[in-house]
Amino acid sequence: MMKMIKEDIRTAFDRDPAARSSWEVLTCYPGLHAIWMYRLAHHLWAVFGWRWLARFVMHLARWFTGIEIHPGATIGRRFFIDHGMGIVIGETTEIGDDVTLYHGVTLGGTTWEKKKRHPTLLDGVIVGAGAKVLGAITIGKQSRIGANSVVFRDVPEHSTVVGIPGTVVATTESLIEDGKINLDHHLLANPVSEALGHVLKMIDDVNARVDTFHPKPEGEEADTVDELDKDRLSEQEKLERFLGGGI
């Protein structure tokens, strides 16, 4: 147990640049407190079969930390919860080694049947704040789930997922090197922006083809066409600025 506690403290230093001392990590990191209470509760659940006591231990853990982990879940080594408030981990969840969750994450179930109904997160997965991973799906190794995404389909290894519903938008390099994660998990693609960008390009192509079927306007008609073109370009510029995250 002491060996695992020391490993968890080292993991906090590897995953959180705000960690300053072992005493601070030991006393001020609710994610670690929840994990340690989970390990006790899981032992009561899986080894002794003391289901009520295991649930009560985790009920206390939720009261103290704001993190709810079912004692029946299976969690690997060097699991790290950053901030943690609002995290929910269901009974049949399986989590590999070196996984990181941020606050507000739900690893939830999708069926009433008493079978595997919660997700499996393989080694090295990072799940951003507020994301929901639902059902008996598998998130492949070294994948990252963007903040506030909703995922209910399997995700291949080394994938980046964003959106509602979650969409694979890119592949990732190794997210963990020497125990430290890549904290640039905010640098994600915008699939909606990309899709609308393609639509805008198609509209421009259609306009260009239509122009080839009409003679060049003259006089007042030419002035009207110029005004329409200016208005179209202005609106398109506003839309492109919005899609690019500008103001």
Side-chain angles (χ1 to χ4, degrees):
M1 178 63 75
M2 290 304 300
K3 181 179 179 181
M4 296 190 73
I5 289 175
K6 291 179 180 179
E7 184 177 60
D8 290 335
I9 292 174
R10 286 198 303 271
T11 299
F13 281 100
D14 290 337
R15 311 275 176 88
D16 185 5
R20 292 178 175 81
S21 69
S22 296
W23 179 245
E24 178 185 27
V25 172
L26 184 65
T27 57
C28 301
Y29 274 59
L32 291 186
H33 303 155
I35 293 168
W36 294 334
M37 294 183 76
Y38 153 78
R39 289 192 178 131
L40 170 61
H42 183 70
H43 193 74
L44 296 174
W45 179 278
V47 177
F48 294 104
W50 296 346
R51 302 300 172 84
W52 176 86
L53 184 57
R55 290 297 301 269
F56 186 69
V57 169
M58 292 316 300
H59 177 72
L60 294 177
R62 181 178 65 172
W63 193 81
F64 281 110
T65 67
I67 298 167
E68 182 171 344
I69 306 175
H70 194 286
T74 303
I75 299 177
R77 296 172 59 187
R78 296 178 298 278
F79 176 54
F80 184 65
I81 296 174
D82 200 350
H83 301 292
M85 181 63 71
I87 280 180
V88 176
I89 299 175
E91 178 184 7
T92 60
T93 301
E94 298 177 51
I95 298 176
D97 297 334
D98 300 304
V99 170
T100 302
L101 305 184
Y102 287 85
H103 54 281
V105 168
T106 298
L107 306 181
T110 55
T111 178
W112 284 99
E113 298 182 30
K114 293 184 179 298
K115 61 179 185 180
K116 170 67 171 169
R117 60 189 187 279
H118 296 90
T120 297
L121 278 57
L122 299 183
D123 297 349
V125 168
I126 298 174
V127 185
K132 315 302 177 187
V133 185
L134 307 175
I137 61 175
T138 299
I139 309 301
K141 293 180 179 180
Q142 300 274 331
S143 292
R144 58 179 176 173
I145 310 299
N148 293 316
S149 298
V150 178
V151 184
F152 46 82
R153 294 189 180 91
D154 290 344
V155 173
E157 295 183 3
H158 291 273
S159 297
T160 296
V161 177
V162 298
I164 305 174
T167 303
V168 176
V169 296
T171 57
T172 64
E173 301 297 330
S174 178
L175 296 177
I176 300 178
E177 295 182 1
D178 298 327
K180 299 181 182 296
I181 65 171
N182 178 0
L183 288 179
D184 291 329
H185 49 83
H186 64 291
L187 302 177
L188 303 175
N190 185 339
V192 175
S193 175
E194 292 182 7
L196 289 177
H198 292 308
V199 172
L200 291 175
K201 180 61 169 62
M202 292 173 62
I203 292 174
D204 286 341
D205 292 343
V206 170
N207 287 335
R209 293 191 64 183
V210 170
D211 289 343
T212 63
F213 294 107
H214 294 276
K216 186 175 181 180
E218 298 179 354
E220 292 184 0
E221 185 178 356
D223 293 338
T224 301
V225 170
D226 287 340
E227 289 298 322
L228 290 173
D229 283 339
K230 289 178 181 178
D231 185 60
R232 177 179 60 82
L233 291 173
S234 175
E235 293 302 320
Q236 184 168 330
E237 181 182 350
K238 293 176 184 177
L239 182 57
E240 288 175 348
R241 188 167 66 244
F242 169 77
L243 295 176
I247 297 175

